[in-house]
Every structure is written in C-alpha cells, then in structure tokens.
Amino acid sequence: LSAAEYLTDNQLRSSRVACNLAFCLLALLMVHHFRGQTLNPRHTVAEGSRLRNAAKNATTVAERKKMYREAIAKYNLSVALNPADSEAFYGRGVAEQKLGQLINDEDLLNESVASFDKALSIDPSGTGGTVGAVWNKRGSVLLALGREKEAEESYANALRKNKESYKFGEDLGNLRTSMSAERSDSAELREKKSVKRQTTRRVSRLLASSLTVPEVPPFERSLTDQSSAELDRDSDFDFAEVTVGGDLALSSKSRSIEMADVSSNRTVA
C-alpha cells in the first residue's frame, strides 16, 4: 500500500471506532435516563395520572386524544414492569374509558372493563383505598355499553365498599329509577298490544255477523235489487269508532237514511 492509501485506511478505521464509542456512550446515557426515571413503575404511574388529569383541561379534542393515548402508554409500561400494581390497572381503565367515550370506540370501553377487573382481582379487599372507585367506574362503563344489569351490580358493590359515598348511592339510585321506568313502559306497551289484538278479533266477529244476508221473498227481490244498487252507488259506510267493549258505530250518507225509510214504508204497506 502507498502512504496515501495507508493513511486513508487508518482514518476510516479511526472514524468507525469513534462512531462506535459515541454510540455506546449515547446508549449508556439513555439506559441511565430510563433507569432513573421512565422505567420506574411508580414514576410511570404518576406520569400517566398527570397526563390523564391534564387531558381534562385540554383546549382541543385532538390534544385530549393525544394525552389519553400517552397516559395509556405510560400505564402499559408500568404494568409491564409491575403486573401486580392495581393502581396502574385502575388508571389505565379510566384513561381507556375517557378515550373510548371521546372517540366512541366500544372496543376501548371493553378494554376499560377488563382493566378494572384486573385491578379488582389484584386488590379485591380495597387495601389500596380505591376499590369503591374501581367498582363505580366499572359500573359507568358497563352502563355506557348498555349492560344495565351488570352496571347495577357494579354500582351496588361500590356502595357496599363505601356506604357513606353520596355519589355511589346517587349513581345506583338513578340507574334503578331508569330501569324501573323502562320496565313500566314495557308493561304498558304489552297491555296496549293486548287490547289492540282483542279489539281486532271483536271487530272481525262483528263484520262477519253484519255480512249475513237474510232471505228475500221472490216478489220483493226486484225492489231489493234496485235499492241495493242505489245503495252501492250513492252510499258510503265507514267505521266511526270501535270501542274496547266491542261496540261498533257506523255512519252513512243521506242515501242510507232514505233506504231505511223505503224499507219501513214497505213493511207498513
């Protein structure tokens, strides 16, 4: 190799070594940073809670979405580092609930219920002090999903865990009032349908009996046929009212009244 080529080759090697050293130093700094802050489970829970609470005061929907997603990511990191942290699962459930309601995502709401269930399975007795809140939040998500019976049970559990909570009692009372009103409306609707079916059957029987045609003597058939033709042409019977008791009221035009007079005069004669 010439002297120029030798120097160029050494410079390349020196540059590579320098790059490798710089990369290693950067990696060490990043590891130190993550170990000291982000990879601390308690720190990530606190950071997730900070983002979740800050999202409430965000000025735009896009900003709220971003903060809730970042909060969920922090909680995910925390539960990955410490799977027995019920507070992290509770915080994640709340963030998933808020984001799911914000973007109308049913899957996120179901994930929120799963997070609350996990928190309750880790700390069912409430040693963390949040078990009542977990049950109550779980009930609100179930209610949003339309699972009212499960929501009622969840609200009741929340109240049992904290009998002095006005909010828990109010949420349970409001839900039971709503469910009672729906049951009452359903019973009234069933009653209306039953009355309608009974009325329809009675009207059908009345129509069948009214269509029975009596025998007419031969010498009156021509007059009756003529009167019937006039009645079909000029008269228009319609139903005026059908009562629940089965009474049928009919109204007719003036020609039907004249037909009744003709029939009565013929009978007298």
Side-chain angles (χ1 to χ4, degrees):
L1 294 174
S2 64
E5 292 176 346
Y6 179 78
L7 289 174
T8 302
D9 187 54
N10 282 341
Q11 289 174 352
L12 290 173
R13 289 178 182 177
S14 298
S15 298
R16 290 170 183 168
V17 171
C19 288
N20 289 334
L21 288 174
F23 178 79
C24 290
L25 180 61
L26 179 61
L28 288 173
L29 290 173
M30 290 178 66
V31 168
H32 175 73
H33 173 76
F34 285 131
R35 282 182 178 176
Q37 297 183 22
T38 309
L39 295 185
N40 185 324
R42 301 312 306 162
H43 174 80
T44 55
V45 170
E47 186 65 15
S49 299
R50 184 191 68 78
L51 289 167
R52 191 189 76 211
N53 292 327
K56 300 176 184 178
N57 300 321
T59 56
T60 64
V61 174
E63 191 176 355
R64 283 200 296 273
K65 291 179 184 178
K66 181 176 180 292
M67 288 184 174
Y68 282 133
R69 289 192 174 100
E70 290 177 353
I72 292 172
K74 292 291 184 181
Y75 289 126
N76 284 337
L77 179 59
S78 180
V79 299
L81 295 171
N82 183 11
D85 190 348
S86 62
E87 186 180 349
F89 281 106
Y90 168 70
R92 187 177 74 177
V94 174
E96 289 168 338
Q97 175 194 10
K98 297 296 185 181
L99 181 59
Q101 291 176 335
L102 186 63
I103 64 177
N104 195 24
D105 189 333
E106 187 173 328
D107 291 337
L108 265 176
L109 294 178
N110 284 314
E111 290 175 10
S112 174
V113 174
S115 294
F116 291 139
D117 288 341
K118 186 64 176 177
L120 291 169
S121 67
I122 293 172
D123 189 17
S125 60
T127 55
T130 60
V131 67
V134 177
W135 279 113
N136 189 261
K137 285 289 186 182
R138 182 178 181 273
S140 64
V141 179
L142 290 169
L143 184 59
L145 289 168
R147 295 153 63 178
E148 293 184 343
K149 191 62 180 177
E150 295 175 74
E152 181 186 16
E153 295 174 359
S154 196
Y155 281 146
N157 285 331
L159 190 59
R160 277 193 289 270
K161 293 295 182 180
N162 190 350
K163 296 180 180 179
E164 296 181 356
S165 173
Y166 175 80
K167 182 181 186 309
F168 295 171
E170 183 181 34
D171 289 343
L172 179 60
N174 289 339
L175 175 57
R176 285 179 172 170
T177 300
S178 175
M179 293 173 67
S180 177
E182 288 179 1
R183 284 194 293 267
S184 177
D185 292 342
S186 298
E188 183 179 355
L189 182 60
R190 288 195 298 271
E191 179 65 22
K192 287 182 178 180
K193 288 182 178 180
S194 176
V195 170
K196 184 177 180 180
R197 286 194 297 269
Q198 294 175 14
T199 303
T200 301
R201 287 195 294 268
R202 287 169 181 156
V203 169
S204 298
R205 288 196 296 268
L206 287 170
L207 286 173
S209 62
S210 66
L211 293 176
T212 303
V213 181
E215 284 293 330
V216 180
F219 63 90
E220 292 184 0
R221 283 178 183 171
S222 59
L223 179 60
T224 303
D225 292 342
Q226 181 181 356
S227 300
S228 298
E230 293 176 355
L231 179 62
D232 291 339
R233 184 180 65 254
D234 300 330
S235 179
D236 183 17
F237 283 82
D238 56 1
F239 293 109
E241 180 182 6
V242 179
T243 66
V244 175
D247 297 330
L248 182 64
L250 299 176
S251 65
S252 66
K253 296 182 179 179
S254 60
R255 189 60 184 168
S256 62
I257 298 175
E258 294 175 6
M259 271 297 304
D261 293 337
V262 170
S263 299
S264 60
N265 291 336
R266 187 177 65 249
T267 302
V268 172

